[in-house]
């Protein structure tokens, strides 16, 4: 009897141990599977999109449109307005009921500058049918008698990756500064419909047609693309006093790449008639360019030149070029090629034939010259050392006096000017500070010659004279 009780007790203990062991193994397996699980981007930001969807119609749309975009848009309108427009303003702005959607979010481990945190956000904004924005344009008197014309801005779409850098504070508002820019050129599109005023369609005026599209391209593909960025001072933004709380930190180019698209050969026929209508489009960083279309040819000759700024040598700076056949409905690619600008930054002109890839045959003839920007040039202002070099170069060939580029200065005039001029270390030449030319009689003659030479018409004459002499 005792043996049966002992056996029953051992059986219950064993079953209880087995149940506990199974629970433990199941729990550990669940933890291990959760650790191996990779969440998609949509799952990581699903909560954020749901929260924005609830807050957007209540207050977030008004904050974005009225407090953020409405003060910022005039800055870009005045900066990039065409010559036919005297003034431009946004008279009404409502983004509609559709909020932006975040497709991904991640924290960058390394940040440039003094940002404490940098987020990379995938943003997709497609406006609903209730979006409404009115752009008022004041035409110049010579073109439209100074009257105002209005246009509707509808159907906006922006898609790209946005970098947001945070600089934190230990007190309110806890965020001192924001850096906002696109990681690369985003996709942007907007529809412009004119509001007719006294029978005027403002979008048909020269210089205005396509202005909004060009403005969108400049803002979203160049001005706000890394390394350029929008800097927001959160303290000033939260201040009750009206202050200028933002500015665009546009990096000055450190070099320029002059790309010459010359010609192509051995192109593959793309049309049914055995020919093609090719054009070339390319990009270098955020900057893009395109040539004219050559009709019905397999050996097109463009001979077009594009000057592209380079803001940093830390990026790869890959020049991507694509040859495209222009068709009525859709364009067809005829091959592409690429070139590293960092490898040819020696200041010389590199002329080359590049084979087209992703196609059976075809070659592209181009030339690239990379010139460093050692100094920031001012308009019609040059280093005086350059003046002396140019003057000496031209005087040796008697070009200046014979073509009346420089006025003749006799000794009496130089002495009279020397007596009137007070000694100083710097001179003012047509509103630009220049280095001192020296003292005495020769310096006055050089100053007079430099003043005449700095005029843009004389500069152009001197350039043409140099070209004739060198050739």
């Amino acid at each position: 009897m005792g043996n049966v009780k002992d056996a029953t007790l051992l059986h219950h203990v064993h079953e209880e141990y087995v149940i506990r062991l199974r629970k433990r193994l199941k729990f550990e397996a669940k933890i291990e599977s959760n650790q191996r699980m990779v969440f998609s981007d949509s799952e990581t930001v699903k909560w954020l999109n749901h929260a924005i969807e609830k807050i957007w119609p209540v207050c977030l749309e008004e904050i974005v449109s009225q407090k953020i975009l409405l003060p910022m848009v005039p800055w870009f309108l005045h900066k990039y307005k065409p010559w036919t427009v005297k003034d431009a303003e946004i008279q009404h702005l409502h983004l509609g009921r559709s909020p932006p959607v975040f497709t991904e979010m991640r924290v960058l481990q390394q940040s440039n500058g003094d940002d404490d945190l940098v987020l990379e956000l995938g943003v997709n904004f497609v406006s609903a049918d209730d979006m409404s924005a009115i752009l008022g344009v004041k035409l110049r008197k010579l073109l439209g008698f100074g009257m105002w014309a209005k246009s509707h801005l509808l159907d906006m779409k922006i898609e790209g990756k946005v970098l947001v850098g945070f600089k934190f504070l230990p007190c309110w508002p806890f965020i001192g500064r924001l850096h906002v820019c696109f990681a690369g050129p985003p996709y942007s599109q907007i529809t412009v419909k004119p509001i007719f005023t006294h029978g005027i369609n403002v979008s048909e005026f020269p210089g205005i047609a396509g202005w909004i599209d060009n403005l969108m391209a400049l803002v979203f593909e160049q001005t706000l693309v890394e390394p350029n960025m929008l800097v927001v001072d959160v303290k000033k933004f939260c201040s009750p006093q009206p202050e200028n709380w933002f500015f665009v930190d546009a990096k000055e180019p450190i070099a320029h790449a002059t790309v010459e698209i010359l010609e192509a050969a051995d192109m593959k026929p793309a049309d049914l008639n055995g020919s093609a209508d090719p054009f070339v489009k390319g990009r270098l960083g955020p900057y893009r360019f395109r040539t004219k279309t050559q009709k019905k040819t397999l050996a097109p000759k463009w001979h077009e030149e594009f000057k592209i700024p380079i803001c940093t040598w830390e990026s790869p700076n890959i020049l991507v070029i694509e040859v495209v056949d222009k068709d009525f409905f859709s364009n067809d690619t005829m091959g592409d090629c690429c070139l590293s600008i960092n490898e040819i930054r020696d200041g010389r002109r590199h002329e080359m034939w590049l084979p087209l890839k992703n196609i059976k045959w075809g070659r592209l003839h181009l030339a690239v010259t990379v010139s460093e920007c050692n100094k920031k040039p001012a308009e019609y202002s040059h280093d005086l050392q350059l003046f002396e070099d140019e003057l000496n170069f031209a005087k040796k060939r008697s070009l200046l006096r014979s073509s009346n580029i420089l006025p003749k200065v006799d000794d009496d005039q130089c002495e009279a000017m020397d007596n009137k001029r007070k000694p100083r270390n710097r001179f003012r030449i047509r509103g630009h500070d220049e280095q001192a030319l020296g003292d005495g009689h020769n310096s006055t003659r050089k100053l007079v010659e430099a003043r005449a030479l700095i005029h843009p018409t004389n500069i152009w004459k001197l350039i043409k004279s140099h070209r004739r002499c060198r050739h």
Side-chain angles (χ1 to χ4, degrees):
M1 194 67 179
N3 295 333
V4 174
K5 291 181 178 180
D6 294 339
T8 304
L9 181 61
L10 290 173
H11 177 71
H12 286 299
V13 171
H14 177 71
E15 286 186 350
E16 185 176 356
Y17 174 78
V18 170
I19 292 174
R20 291 181 178 178
L21 182 61
R22 287 177 178 176
K23 288 183 177 181
R24 181 180 177 182
L25 294 176
K26 187 177 181 180
F27 179 73
E28 291 179 353
K30 186 177 181 179
I31 293 177
E32 187 177 357
S33 63
N34 289 336
Q35 292 177 348
R36 291 197 306 265
M37 184 180 300
V38 178
F39 293 95
S40 64
D41 295 336
S42 60
E43 291 175 329
T44 59
V45 296
K46 186 177 181 180
W47 63 272
L48 180 60
N49 292 325
H50 182 71
I52 294 177
E53 184 180 0
K54 297 296 182 182
I55 303 173
W56 181 262
V58 178
C59 62
L60 193 56
E61 188 278 331
E62 183 176 358
I63 293 175
V64 174
S65 61
Q66 305 301 316
K67 302 297 183 181
I68 299 179
L69 293 181
L70 203 58
M72 292 173 53
V73 172
W75 186 89
F76 292 99
L77 291 178
H78 287 84
K79 183 176 178 62
Y80 298 110
K81 65 182 179 181
W83 63 271
T84 52
V85 174
K86 184 177 181 180
D87 194 12
E89 62 180 20
I90 293 292
Q91 300 178 351
H92 173 71
L93 179 60
H94 177 65
L95 295 178
R97 65 177 182 273
S98 178
V101 177
F102 292 93
T103 58
E104 62 176 313
M105 176 188 296
R106 68 189 186 98
V107 178
L108 299 184
Q109 299 297 330
Q110 295 180 353
S111 61
N112 296 328
D114 57 347
D115 293 325
D116 298 326
L117 174 67
V118 178
L119 295 179
E120 184 182 76
L121 307 174
V123 181
N124 184 11
F125 176 74
V126 180
S127 63
D129 54 2
D130 61 338
M131 176 192 169
S132 176
I134 298 179
L135 172 65
V137 176
K138 185 177 182 180
L139 304 177
R140 294 192 178 273
K141 291 184 179 180
L142 296 177
L143 182 67
F145 305 103
M147 65 175 55
W148 282 87
K150 298 180 180 179
S151 297
H152 260 142
L153 307 182
L154 307 169
D155 302 331
M156 179 184 292
K157 183 176 181 181
I158 300 174
E159 184 177 0
K161 288 187 177 182
V162 180
L163 300 178
V164 183
F166 297 84
K167 183 66 176 179
F168 297 110
L169 296 175
C171 56
W172 177 259
F174 303 111
I175 298 178
R177 188 211 59 229
L178 293 176
H179 283 160
V180 183
C181 66
F182 287 96
Y187 173 77
S188 59
Q189 182 181 358
I190 193 169
T191 302
V192 181
K193 293 184 177 180
I195 303 176
F196 292 96
T197 305
H198 306 290
I200 294 179
N201 182 358
V202 66
S203 64
E204 298 299 330
F205 275 84
I208 298 180
W211 169 41
I212 300 299
D213 294 333
N214 295 333
L215 175 63
M216 295 281 288
L218 284 170
V219 172
F220 293 110
E221 296 181 8
Q222 296 184 17
T223 308
L224 295 181
V225 177
E226 193 181 22
N228 303 330
M229 62 185 64
L230 177 69
V231 182
V232 178
D233 192 330
V234 182
K235 278 187 175 182
K236 294 182 179 180
F237 178 77
C238 299
S239 174
Q241 302 295 332
E243 297 184 71
N244 187 12
W245 49 269
F246 76 93
F247 66 92
V248 176
D249 184 11
K251 304 298 183 183
E252 294 293 336
I254 62 175
H256 286 89
T258 303
V259 181
E260 303 174 51
I261 305 298
L262 302 177
E263 58 182 331
D266 305 329
M267 303 297 296
K268 180 181 179 181
D271 297 337
L272 296 178
N273 58 5
S275 184
D277 304 321
F279 67 91
V280 176
K281 64 178 183 179
R283 68 178 185 273
L284 177 59
Y287 299 92
R288 302 182 181 184
F289 61 88
R290 172 179 168 170
T291 66
K292 297 179 181 179
T293 303
Q294 301 295 321
K295 299 292 185 179
K296 299 180 180 180
T297 178
L298 296 179
K301 298 181 184 296
W302 292 282
H303 293 282
E304 296 186 37
E305 182 179 298
F306 305 91
K307 190 174 183 179
I308 306 174
I310 300 174
C311 296
T312 178
W313 292 118
E314 297 179 359
S315 59
N317 290 323
I318 301 297
L319 176 63
V320 181
I321 298 177
E322 182 181 5
V323 183
V324 183
D325 174 55
K326 178 68 175 180
D327 287 335
F328 184 77
F329 294 103
S330 62
N331 299 331
D332 301 326
T333 180
M334 301 179 67
D336 56 76
C337 57
C338 58
L339 177 67
S340 177
I341 300 298
N342 293 351
E343 297 179 357
I344 55 174
R345 45 179 293 196
D346 53 5
R348 296 184 298 174
R349 183 176 183 269
H350 296 266
E351 188 173 346
M352 63 197 78
W353 283 89
L354 294 180
L356 298 178
K357 301 178 181 179
N358 301 321
I359 203 161
K360 291 183 178 179
W361 58 80
R363 297 180 300 153
L364 181 65
H365 187 197
L366 73 157
V368 181
T369 306
V370 180
S371 56
E372 300 280 351
C373 297
N374 296 325
K375 296 182 180 180
K376 181 181 177 181
E379 189 177 10
Y380 307 140
S381 174
H382 293 273
D383 194 297
L384 287 188
Q385 182 62 43
L386 178 61
F387 284 154
E388 294 187 45
D389 295 340
E390 297 291 346
L391 287 171
N392 294 332
F393 180 83
K395 284 178 180 178
K396 290 179 181 179
R397 292 156 180 82
S398 302
L399 294 175
L400 298 182
R401 297 280 186 254
S402 60
S403 57
N404 295 323
I405 294 179
L406 294 182
K408 295 184 179 181
V409 184
D410 54 22
D411 295 339
D412 296 335
Q413 290 176 333
C414 293
E415 291 177 358
M417 295 182 66
D418 282 332
N419 296 330
K420 293 181 180 180
R421 178 172 55 85
K422 295 181 180 180
R424 54 181 176 176
N425 294 327
R426 299 180 68 86
F427 293 104
R428 192 77 174 174
I429 301 179
R430 291 189 181 270
H432 299 286
D433 286 330
E434 305 292 349
Q435 298 292 332
L437 288 167
D439 296 326
H441 182 78
N442 294 332
S443 65
T444 303
R445 185 183 298 277
K446 292 180 181 178
L447 178 59
V448 174
E449 292 175 347
R451 281 177 173 169
L453 183 59
I454 200 172
H455 192 276
T457 304
N458 295 337
I459 291 177
W460 178 240
K461 289 181 180 179
L462 184 60
I463 291 174
K464 292 193 295 184
S465 300
H466 287 187
R467 287 179 178 175
R468 290 195 301 266
C469 183
R470 288 172 179 172
H471 289 295

